[in-house]
Amino acid sequence: WLVPFQWPWEQPLDDIRAYLGEKVALYFQFLGHYTTWLLPLSVMGFAVFLDVAAEGNVNAPSVPFFALFVALWAVLMLEYWKRTESWTAMRTGMAGFETEQRDRPSYFGTEMKSHVDGKEIKYFPRSERNKRMFESLCVIAAMITTVIGLVALIFYLKWYLAHNATGFFSDNAATIASLLNAVQIQVMNYIYGEMATWLTERENHRTDIQYEDSLIAKLFAFQFVNSYASLFYQAFIKEAIGDPCLPDCMNELTYNLGIIFVTRLLSGNASELLLPRITSYLRKQEETKGVEPGTSFSRAEVEYVMLRYDPVMGPIGDFAEQSVQFGYVTLFVVAFPLAPLLAFISNYVEIRTDGNKILFFYQRPVPTGVEDIGTWQSILTLTSLASVVTNSALVAFTMSTLDGVDLYTRLWLFIVFQYFVFAMMGLFGYLVPDVPEEVEIQLGRQAHIVSKIIDAVPDEQDDFENAVVSDGLHVHDLDDEPAPDSGQ
């Protein structure tokens, strides 16, 4: 599995599922699917990059067509993932797994009898949960405001260095600002991740699905602003408020996006490689303090000192990383056509670093069932829809391709292009069913068998007494009744 040369679609998913459980296996299956689909997008993006290099300008004529290709690629990638997901759920017996969920162990409430069936339940008032969720919303709004303030401060620092500093700082003002922006994104994501977990625990959700959906929504709302705020500012706001771009906003956006994206990929993969090793080493030193050097440990003792894998936060953190990367690949791809290729290389490494981390530095995860990737599917779909708007706006208003066209015509081109792509996305979504026909048939068979064997639903009884007998056909009341006129 962790060999240096193996295509993403060649992962031994059945073995991963058998050893690590359905939840972890589904993450690696999605990562393999996404990375596989990045391959054709990488080829196209590299071709556009060569065109941009040949033109000597980001505003190359092939860029608008690349924007259309990316939008259609995103919807097809997600539609075919739904098909893969439904096939996997049917094959592994996970279809319908989320219809019944038990209470979380940490869920608390007043013991009482259910008004529905009289069973003992824990009751937590909905009004109290709504109050806590509103408090969480206020904290999220404050954190988002803080991020916007930090981004504004970074751009002010960039302006100050460019206009008031001398030497190295003046010459490299853009690079310094982009690096600070990349560091700010990583630091704030870490701080907010801890805070979001605490806020979600306070809300006291009954089931794991409710808990994870609430946590994912918090993470996405913050990370979207934290990761892309500076890019939106450069692409659509900076010149509008009188802050000139040098040499133009498209080149500035390309430079900033390139630094942020590459820094994130390098720091992410480096942390995947180094942090588990450092943390595991420190834990081992702590647990074996006082043990004589050279002492041999049993297998159980070795695994005891390994790190504990969190079956909730582990996959959520991995999916959050991929969702942010998906945004960089799609939202502003016309500004940085190399993003898909870099994402492909990063994910190729990510499969191995994630697998190595779980197998060699963490205790074996408790197997957990899961039917689909849940809220992440909605988040990726929303990101793909937003990418149509952002790339259309970049082509119509930010790129210099339409410099000779008046604003009214640009606005109509923006609207027509946008809704043409939406229509194409809707058409592809219709032509590619979420669930393959053979899966629907098999699920119907499974439901029929369960109804007969588990639910003991009786077969339908034919009414033989009222059957019409014709052409000498005789229906016997008993199997051993002799036939009429048989002489027996």
Side-chain angles (χ1 to χ4, degrees):
W1 176 30
L2 304 180
V3 295
F5 303 105
Q6 182 188 69
W7 291 111
W9 57 84
E10 294 178 340
Q11 294 183 89
L13 293 172
D14 287 338
D15 294 335
I16 298 172
R17 186 173 291 109
Y19 188 75
L20 299 175
E22 188 62 43
K23 198 168 193 177
V24 175
L26 191 64
Y27 162 71
F28 281 104
Q29 186 169 10
F30 172 79
L31 183 57
H33 173 87
Y34 171 44
T35 307
T36 300
W37 276 76
L38 278 172
L39 191 55
L41 190 63
S42 301
V43 174
M44 182 66 72
F46 187 70
V48 173
F49 171 75
L50 293 178
D51 184 36
V52 169
E55 291 282 334
N57 195 317
V58 181
N59 305 289
S62 61
V63 170
F65 299 99
F66 185 50
L68 174 62
F69 181 82
V70 170
L72 300 181
W73 169 88
V75 69
L76 284 173
M77 189 275 287
L78 294 174
E79 287 296 325
Y80 275 96
W81 167 249
K82 292 177 187 176
R83 292 171 65 85
T84 300
E85 193 176 54
S86 63
W87 183 86
T88 302
M90 179 273 296
R91 181 173 172 269
T92 58
M94 290 290 109
F97 174 79
E98 297 176 1
T99 55
E100 293 186 9
Q101 288 286 314
R102 297 180 179 179
D103 291 354
R104 298 176 62 239
S106 59
Y107 175 71
F108 61 89
T110 306
E111 297 284 347
M112 61 174 292
K113 291 187 179 297
S114 171
H115 296 304
V116 178
D117 55 15
K119 294 181 179 179
E120 289 288 338
I121 62 168
K122 291 179 182 177
Y123 173 72
F124 187 75
R126 182 178 298 178
S127 58
E128 178 63 23
R129 179 177 294 110
N130 290 340
K131 174 188 172 185
R132 297 186 181 194
M133 292 178 71
F134 177 75
E135 292 169 352
S136 298
L137 187 62
C138 293
V139 173
I140 295 169
M143 290 295 293
I144 289 176
T145 304
T146 302
V147 166
I148 294 173
L150 288 173
V151 171
L153 183 62
I154 289 171
F155 276 100
Y156 172 76
L157 177 63
K158 176 185 175 182
W159 176 88
Y160 181 84
L161 292 176
H163 290 83
N164 296 283
T166 57
F168 174 82
F169 291 102
S170 177
D171 296 339
N172 297 279
T175 303
I176 293 170
S178 296
L179 288 173
L180 286 175
N181 192 195
V183 172
Q184 165 253 313
I185 290 171
Q186 298 294 330
V187 172
M188 291 301 294
N189 276 345
Y190 175 78
I191 294 173
Y192 179 78
E194 298 294 319
M195 188 176 295
T197 303
W198 178 74
L199 291 172
T200 309
E201 287 287 351
R202 280 187 75 248
E203 293 166 3
N204 192 33
H205 294 279
R206 179 183 293 274
T207 67
D208 284 333
I209 298 299
Q210 293 171 345
Y211 174 86
E212 291 180 16
D213 287 349
S214 179
L215 179 57
I216 290 169
K218 291 182 182 66
L219 291 174
F220 173 72
F222 177 80
Q223 290 188 358
F224 188 91
V225 176
N226 189 39
S227 301
Y228 312 129
S230 63
L231 304 179
F232 274 97
Y233 173 75
Q234 285 180 309
F236 308 120
I237 301 173
K238 189 177 181 184
E239 268 196 335
I241 62 174
D243 184 7
C245 297
L246 299 174
D248 59 57
C249 287
M250 221 25 214
N251 281 282
E252 202 171 286
L253 175 64
T254 299
Y255 188 74
N256 190 34
L257 176 58
I259 290 180
I260 291 175
F261 190 60
V262 172
T263 303
R264 181 181 177 87
L265 294 184
L266 292 177
S267 63
N269 282 297
S271 65
E272 295 281 0
L273 282 171
L274 298 177
L275 282 181
R277 285 168 169 77
I278 295 172
T279 310
S280 178
Y281 174 78
L282 294 176
R283 175 174 167 81
K284 185 176 180 180
Q285 293 299 310
E286 178 66 26
E287 292 291 341
T288 58
K289 188 181 298 183
V291 177
E292 293 184 7
T295 303
S296 60
F297 297 95
S298 66
R299 183 63 188 172
E301 289 172 327
V302 171
E303 293 186 359
Y304 172 76
V305 299
M306 296 174 77
L307 304 174
R308 180 183 174 274
Y309 184 82
D310 190 330
V312 174
M313 293 307 300
I316 285 179
D318 291 331
F319 272 115
E321 182 181 351
Q322 292 302 314
S323 70
V324 172
Q325 185 204 91
F326 182 76
Y328 284 127
V329 168
T330 56
L331 288 171
F332 301 96
V333 71
V334 297
F336 192 51
L338 273 182
L341 178 59
L342 295 177
F344 175 83
I345 296 171
S346 174
N347 286 357
Y348 188 88
V349 176
E350 181 89 8
I351 292 173
R352 286 147 185 80
T353 55
D354 282 348
N356 182 273
K357 172 185 69 176
I358 294 175
L359 290 179
F360 296 105
F361 297 99
Y362 284 86
Q363 297 172 2
R364 183 178 178 183
V366 176
T368 306
V370 67
E371 184 176 359
D372 51 43
I373 63 173
T375 306
W376 293 115
Q377 179 74 44
S378 302
I379 287 173
L380 295 173
T381 301
L382 287 173
T383 303
S384 68
L385 293 174
S387 71
V388 177
V389 180
T390 55
N391 286 300
S392 301
L394 285 172
V395 172
F397 305 117
T398 308
M399 291 179 64
S400 61
T401 308
L402 302 177
D403 274 355
V405 181
D406 62 273
L407 181 60
Y408 181 78
T409 305
R410 287 191 185 197
L411 185 61
W412 270 109
L413 287 173
F414 166 69
I415 295 173
V416 170
F417 179 80
Q418 185 179 177
Y419 284 97
F420 169 75
V421 175
F422 282 145
M424 293 296 294
M425 293 172 75
L427 177 62
F428 285 147
Y430 172 77
L431 294 176
V432 183
D434 294 350
V435 181
E437 184 179 2
E438 58 270 22
V439 173
E440 290 183 343
I441 293 172
Q442 184 60 31
L443 290 177
R445 289 174 176 169
Q446 291 178 2
H448 176 73
I449 293 172
V450 168
S451 69
K452 299 302 179 184
I453 297 177
I454 305 299
D455 300 331
V457 175
D459 293 331
E460 294 182 4
Q461 299 293 327
D462 294 327
D463 188 359
F464 289 108
E465 293 181 0
N466 298 323
V468 177
V469 180
S470 61
D471 298 329
L473 177 66
H474 178 74
V475 179
H476 299 282
D477 291 332
L478 300 173
D479 289 341
D480 56 354
E481 179 184 340
D485 301 326
S486 65
Q488 298 181 356

